[in-house]
Amino acid sequence: MSTVFRPYSEGDSLRSDRSAADRKRHREKLRKALKENIADIIAEESIIGRDRDRIIKVPIRGVREYRFVFGENEGGVGTGDGSTKPGQVVGQAGQKGERGPGPAGSDPGVDYYETEITLDELVEIMFEDLELPDLERKRLRQLLADRTAKRQGYKKQGIRVHLDRRRTVRSKIRRKIAAGPPPATEEGEPEPFGFRKEDLTYRRLVEEPREESNAVVLCIMDTSGSMDRLKKYLARSFFFLLYQFVRSKYENTQLVFIAHHTEAKEVTEHEFFHKGESGGTLISSGYKKALEIIEDRYHPDHWNIYAFHCSDGDNFESDNEAALEAAARLCEVCNLFGYGEIKPLGSHHYDSSMLEQFKALDADNFHAVLIERREDVWPAFRQLMAKDRETAG
Amino acid sequence: MSGWTLAELERWDERIREKVAEFGLDCYPQEFEICDQNAMLGYMAYHGMPAHYPHWSYGKAYEQTKTMYDHGVTGLPYELVINSDPCLAYLMRDNSLLLQILTIAHVYGHNDFFKNNFTFTSATRAKDTLAAFKTRADRVRRYMEDPSIGADAVEAFLDAAHALALNRNRNQAIRRLAPEEQRQRVLERARPRPDPFAPLHKRPQPVEPDLRRVPLEPEYDLLLFIRDHNRALADWQKDLLTIVDEEARYFLPQIETKIMNEGWASFWHHRILGSLDLPAELHLEFLVRHNQVVSPHRGGINPYHLGFVVWRDIERRFGGEGSAEARAKLFAVRESDRDVAFLRRFLTRELMEELDLFTWKPRGEHLVVSEISDEEGWETVKAQLLARVGTGSIPVIAVIDADYRGTRTLYLRHEHDGRDLDIGSAEKTLAHVRTLWGHKVHLETRLKGRPALLTSGPDGFDAKLLV
């Protein structure tokens, strides 16, 4: 029997994108996995404070298909170049999936993917399940900043300046034509056809509130000696989320960085995250600086103000009262004022905490969270937003 | 097209077939289909099958294969051949003329292997391959479209079934015992042996075998066992288990003979192209391509390479190239062996030394060479290699009891061979078993040398050491 050759057919090929549906389903699952792993992903330092259009590679542990497999510590067999000696290093642990020692085809394989997505997409996925449209509307409606008048239709009564002359004259002409030719008079001089009250037409004006769409995020961070790299990093993750969130909701978003130890100053983003200061902590100084800036530049009637403070809570005791008072004032001017206490695991035993102090603060838009490790950042943020949603709804 | 016409391919195929007949290869009728890269990747995702049931894992396979090719892989680019009668293979439109010739010759090697190797002849029916995949696809689609079942339920059930697909009887040439035969065997084993020293000591009390126990003997076909013993399963669920098991049955021979099969095809494409009197520029490309295909993977095993080298060595040792004895030996081995036996019998110490085979172990952050193929080490290296080829990379799991302590709990045992299970995967896989079984599931295994029991129950997963 002779061999059959079936030639290439373009039509077949076009029709036969048969894996399309399965690929789509796979991507859906991947996206879901991405969402579930978001806490890990946003905890990666590299994406914080980056450009939104930037494409980032997110290593995710794919959508795995599980089977019974042997553990990774079991070693394997490989081919050498002829000079292999016992004790020689032939690879790095944890890269097994890439050049998997072991016969190809029977290797269970490690399902690590790198998915490329833009930061924007990531943020979108992140906020997709926060479901906050109500919050947005409510917050925006609160700010009726400018009032402008706008024409909308006509009316028969009004003040002189709103008189629409064209319509008034038209109305008179219409009436005149309807009345027919004027009766002849002896004198030959026709009676002038005058304006009557019903001819007068005025413009109707309505006042329209313009919705403000400005927001400012005040990032306040404790940069005292007790804030080590890890603590700052956790704080940074939180600020990143807050900023991205606010930015996704408002047209014009500004960022203010306030670093404080015993005194506070406004700094650039770079300084904020990279400069280490030393010394003690007066939390009230940071709050006062924030209030100052708000008063100077961001009037609460024009701006949505989000303030967030990260600290390890290691405040001078004498300052607690002042801090509390300043926090209360911040709550009055802010849409949301949050406090994140950053205590890497195990450190709360010996440090003092502001969480206790803030319990005395009675404001709907205040929220305090505790962050102990990287994985807490996202849940803490969600919690914060959930609280916000409650008060907004 | 890349510098070739269909007529040209047919002419080359004719010449190749002459050689195939001359060398005595025994093939099914062959069919080639020319396709473009997209279609090729599509076929590869579905194991080459023109019809296959849908599942997201094939979408994932597509993406993975695509990534692999985008990054450049070794082996024969876009070689895909199906174990069916007639044998179906795909040729990538954009490949060069030489690559098409090489692939055609390579495919005839596979074709011969499919038709003659015992793992294929005992477990698959090549005549029905395509039709069987088609009917299975139709069945799954029907369940997905059935409003009382739905695509989501089918998907979830397939997810679970796929997890256990390879935990089945490996040597499919061994006949399954009927229940009555099993009973007989259990009784036979329980009968006391004749004891020449009976007068000297007390006879041990014969233990009465429990004939009500399910299963009577450890059972290795997990999916089929669950299908036959979980009465709560709906018909469509049982059918899905059958479908997944049938597919695994079809693919198992390919897993069991990966090294032999690829080595055999490489051996023959090398021999055939070497005898075709290729024009100089084609010949040069042939040498380059062939060396790419059979180049060793440093630190790993390239089945094309290992298989090719061993087949060549067999030919050399049993009479040399072209001799009738060597030919007879080659054909006998390709019929009777699978990878484990093939390497055990024919991978000699000299060859291992030449290949510089070694074992490695993780130590800290590094993978470190532990043994090499020298005087002291080669046996260890060989033993480790044998434990890992074919289905050796799949842990052996047996059903011991379907009604453990009278609670409908499924009791599984991992037959520990020195390698521990990966606990993370075991946890997730046990959850799948539980989905299929509907009750609690135990898995007995060993962790770091101590017996352990893994449990998936209503309270989630639990692992505890037994001692």
Side-chain angles (χ1 to χ4, degrees), chain B residues 132-255:
Chain B
F133 273 87
K134 176 85 171 70
T135 46
R136 287 196 284 263
D138 291 343
R139 268 142 76 195
V140 174
R141 287 216 173 80
R142 204 164 60 230
Y143 299 137
M144 291 173 82
E145 282 156 16
D146 185 335
S148 69
I149 302 169
D152 287 346
V154 171
E155 180 186 282
F157 201 78
L158 282 177
D159 283 352
H162 284 178
L164 297 182
L166 293 177
N167 291 107
R168 67 185 317 290
N169 259 319
R170 285 124 201 268
N171 196 334
Q172 303 178 88
I174 297 174
R175 190 176 62 90
R176 286 174 62 88
L177 292 182
E180 187 48 36
E181 290 171 302
Q182 258 189 38
R183 254 170 65 95
Q184 288 306 324
R185 192 154 80 176
V186 170
L187 287 173
E188 193 61 43
R189 282 197 184 138
R191 191 164 295 145
R193 307 263 154 267
D195 182 359
F197 304 107
L200 297 180
H201 61 92
K202 216 176 134 214
R203 286 172 67 91
Q205 275 300 313
V207 186
E208 199 177 322
D210 178 7
L211 289 177
R212 281 167 311 168
R213 185 190 175 100
V214 179
L216 277 174
E217 294 182 312
E219 174 64 59
Y220 296 93
D221 286 326
L222 260 50
L223 290 182
L224 297 186
F225 183 85
I226 291 171
R227 179 194 69 185
D228 297 339
H229 293 89
N230 179 3
R231 270 166 260 155
L233 290 178
D235 283 347
W236 66 269
Q237 290 173 314
K238 289 184 182 175
D239 195 33
L240 286 182
L241 293 179
T242 311
I243 287 170
V244 173
D245 182 74
E246 278 172 0
E247 283 215 357
R249 181 182 172 83
Y250 172 85
F251 287 115
L252 217 55
Q254 321 213 356
I255 298 173

Side-chain angles (χ1 to χ4, degrees), chain A residues 52 123 127 136 243-251 253:
Chain A
R52 291 199 103 193
V123 170
F127 295 126
E136 183 181 13
Y243 173 59
Q244 294 296 355
F245 170 71
V246 172
R247 196 173 159 152
S248 70
K249 299 293 173 198
Y250 300 100
E251 274 168 33
T253 311

Side-chain angles (χ1 to χ4, degrees), chain B residues 15-25 268 275 327:
Chain B
R15 293 190 55 197
I16 291 168
R17 267 189 300 134
E18 278 167 25
K19 293 293 170 194
V20 165
E22 187 186 317
F23 293 131
L25 293 177
W268 286 111
S275 67
R327 181 99 9 115

Side-chain angles (χ1 to χ4, degrees), chain A residues 112-255:
Chain A
Y112 276 100
Y113 288 80
E114 274 204 339
T115 300
E116 277 187 4
I117 60 171
T118 62
L119 198 49
D120 239 359
E121 248 181 295
L122 184 67
V123 170
E124 185 199 314
I125 294 173
M126 274 158 48
F127 295 126
E128 204 170 65
D129 59 347
L130 282 177
E131 294 161 9
L132 290 162
D134 287 347
L135 163 80
E136 183 181 13
R137 243 175 281 131
K138 186 201 164 193
R139 294 285 177 223
L140 290 175
R141 271 205 217 103
Q142 285 179 337
L143 297 171
L144 306 180
D146 288 16
R147 285 158 196 274
T148 51
K150 193 180 163 190
R151 282 191 217 169
Q152 198 174 61
Y154 301 88
K155 55 183 184 179
K156 286 291 172 195
Q157 258 132 39
I159 54 170
R160 199 58 186 257
V161 289
H162 289 164
L163 182 70
D164 188 318
R165 285 185 214 145
R166 178 194 283 262
R167 282 187 178 258
T168 305
V169 172
R170 229 197 256 161
S171 169
K172 187 194 93 172
I173 293 171
R174 208 182 281 130
R175 199 164 44 77
K176 191 178 174 185
I177 292 170
T185 56
E186 291 118 52
E187 274 97 275
E189 185 73 12
E191 196 187 324
F193 200 85
F195 287 99
R196 295 219 193 131
K197 191 149 194 232
E198 65 248 43
D199 293 334
L200 302 180
T201 307
Y202 299 89
R203 296 186 192 107
R204 200 166 82 93
L205 293 184
V206 286
E207 282 196 338
E208 192 176 68
R210 190 164 67 82
E211 288 178 348
E212 266 304 341
S213 196
N214 297 325
V216 57
V217 180
L218 296 161
C219 303
I220 311 166
M221 185 164 70
D222 184 352
T223 52
S224 66
S226 57
M227 287 290 284
D228 57 22
R229 237 189 120 242
L230 176 65
K231 289 181 185 173
K232 266 195 198 170
Y233 166 65
L234 291 172
R236 185 185 162 93
S237 307
F238 208 99
F239 287 133
F240 168 77
L241 281 179
L242 188 69
Y243 173 59
Q244 294 296 355
F245 170 71
V246 172
R247 196 173 159 152
S248 70
K249 299 293 173 198
Y250 300 100
E251 274 168 33
N252 170 23
T253 311
Q254 299 202 359
L255 265 172

